[in-house]
């Protein structure tokens, strides 16, 4: 189905037996309200990228015995994105640029930033191969052309490290390669930051984008994606307990 909004809305509101399988859903590309199921589309995944193909589509079937959360995550993968459940709501983030929700500066940080410039070698890969569902082969699981980056291969000492994926809601080899190319670029962006911030940072939820301006690291509005966040207690300048975000 070409419209991700329609697919996910129908799944969220109807489920397998006419009842809602998801209580509430919000997204970058869609918003589903609890009361009416109406959809608002902001167009970061459903646009045409050529005369023959949309950027992302959701096409496929699933077994009614599968957990709804697993199905939702597979649908998100068809958009090169993420499905995150926060405070009882599912949030969808497709593989498209997102404007930062806020900018954090030196004054927002309670403790020094812990900056990691490299991921563990166990997390890294320099190529992705896998399968999609091919309509030309009677909807059989079919290999898409593998994708490997020569620069990342060289950075890893010439050792090929592959990630295997299955895209159950993707029916095009070109779309499959587009999805996995985003996955590869994500893993090779290796800088991560751990920080304790003032309560203002709680505005950003997992998978939101924030900009960081930090003098010690010589960063000016450098964008980061929030992996996780939680409330924490710290001592303020007067030694009193205060609420922050880690």
């Amino acid at each position: 189905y070409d419209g991700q909004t329609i697919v996910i809305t129908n799944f969220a509101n109807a489920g397998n037996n006419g009842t809602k399988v998801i209580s509430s859903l919000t997204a970058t590309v869609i918003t589903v309200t609890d009361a009416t199921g109406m959809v608002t589309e902001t167009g970061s995944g459903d646009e045409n990228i050529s005369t023959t193909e949309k950027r992302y589509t959701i096409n496929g079937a699933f077994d009614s015995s599968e957990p709804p959360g697993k199905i939702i995550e597979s649908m998100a993968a068809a958009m090169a994105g993420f499905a995150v459940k926060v405070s009882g709501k599912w949030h969808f983030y497709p593989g498209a640029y997102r404007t930062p929700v806020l900018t954090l500066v030196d004054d927002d940080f309670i403790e020094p930033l812990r900056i990691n410039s490299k991921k563990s070698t166990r997390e890294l890969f320099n190529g992705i191969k896998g399968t999609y569902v091919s309509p030309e082969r009677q909807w059989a699981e079919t290999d898409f052309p593998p994708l490997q980056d020569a620069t990342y291969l060289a950075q890893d000492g010439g050792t090929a490290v592959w990630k295997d994926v299955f895209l159950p809601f993707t029916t095009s080899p070109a779309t499959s390669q587009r999805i996995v190319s985003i996955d590869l670029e994500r893993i090779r962006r290796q800088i991560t930051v751990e920080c304790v911030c003032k309560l203002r940072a709680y505005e950003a939820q997992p998978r939101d984008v924030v900009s960081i301006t930090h003098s010690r690291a010589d960063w000016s509005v450098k964008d980061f994606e929030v992996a996780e966040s939680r409330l924490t207690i710290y001592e303020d300048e007067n030694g009193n307990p205060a609420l922050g975000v880690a």
Side-chain angles (χ1 to χ4, degrees):
Y1 208 111
D2 284 348
Q4 307 101 310
T5 57
I6 298 173
V7 173
I8 298 174
T9 301
N10 286 344
F11 180 73
N13 286 329
N16 302 319
N17 57 4
T19 60
K20 284 191 177 184
V21 295
I22 299 173
S23 60
S24 182
L25 179 73
T26 61
T28 301
V29 289
I30 62 175
T31 298
V32 180
T33 64
D34 283 334
T36 65
M38 295 298 291
V39 175
T40 300
E41 182 168 346
T42 59
S44 59
D46 198 44
E47 71 273 25
N48 290 315
I49 61 168
S50 70
T51 58
T52 60
E53 187 170 272
K54 290 183 180 294
R55 185 177 300 278
Y56 306 124
T57 61
I58 295 176
N59 304 292
F62 56 86
D63 194 296
S64 60
S65 65
E66 293 182 63
K70 180 181 178 182
I71 297 169
I72 285 291
E73 289 175 357
S74 293
M75 289 180 177
M79 295 186 284
F82 301 97
V84 182
K85 196 172 186 179
V86 179
S87 300
K89 293 184 179 182
W90 283 97
H91 300 260
F92 279 78
Y93 299 89
Y97 176 76
R98 302 191 300 278
T99 303
V101 297
L102 79 164
T103 298
L104 299 174
V105 299
D106 288 347
D107 188 55
D108 292 308
F109 302 116
I110 298 163
E111 299 177 0
L113 272 62
R114 295 181 292 279
I115 301 172
N116 301 307
S117 60
K118 295 288 184 181
K119 287 186 169 73
S120 165
T121 54
R122 290 175 295 181
E123 298 178 76
L124 292 176
F125 47 87
N126 49 52
I128 304 179
K129 55 186 176 180
T131 55
Y132 70 104
V133 179
S134 173
E136 286 76 21
R137 297 190 177 185
Q138 302 300 309
W139 309 102
E141 188 175 337
T142 304
D143 291 337
F144 59 79
L147 178 74
Q148 189 168 55
D149 188 281
T151 299
Y152 300 147
L153 179 64
Q155 290 174 359
D156 295 337
T159 301
V161 182
W162 293 95
K163 176 182 178 181
D164 286 296
V165 301
F166 172 46
L167 302 172
F169 290 106
T170 301
T171 55
S172 158
T175 303
S176 300
Q177 281 206 313
R178 189 158 53 249
I179 290 169
V180 299
S181 68
I182 293 172
D183 192 12
L184 180 58
E185 292 301 323
R186 279 190 179 121
I187 197 65
R188 303 304 299 206
R189 301 295 187 267
Q190 298 188 52
I191 298 176
T192 60
V193 177
E194 297 178 51
C195 55
V196 179
C197 306
K198 294 177 181 177
L199 196 57
R200 188 175 79 89
Y202 201 57
E203 176 183 340
Q205 64 185 24
R207 299 304 174 185
D208 277 341
V209 175
V210 300
S211 290
I212 295 180
T213 294
H214 187 51
S215 55
R216 182 169 65 87
D218 197 26
W219 291 339
S220 177
V221 291
K222 184 176 179 64
D223 290 350
F224 287 87
E225 186 177 67
V226 179
E228 57 181 319
S229 64
R230 59 181 174 82
L231 293 174
T232 188
I233 302 295
Y234 71 97
E235 286 190 1
D236 64 17
E237 60 272 14
N238 299 317
N240 299 316
L243 198 58
V245 180

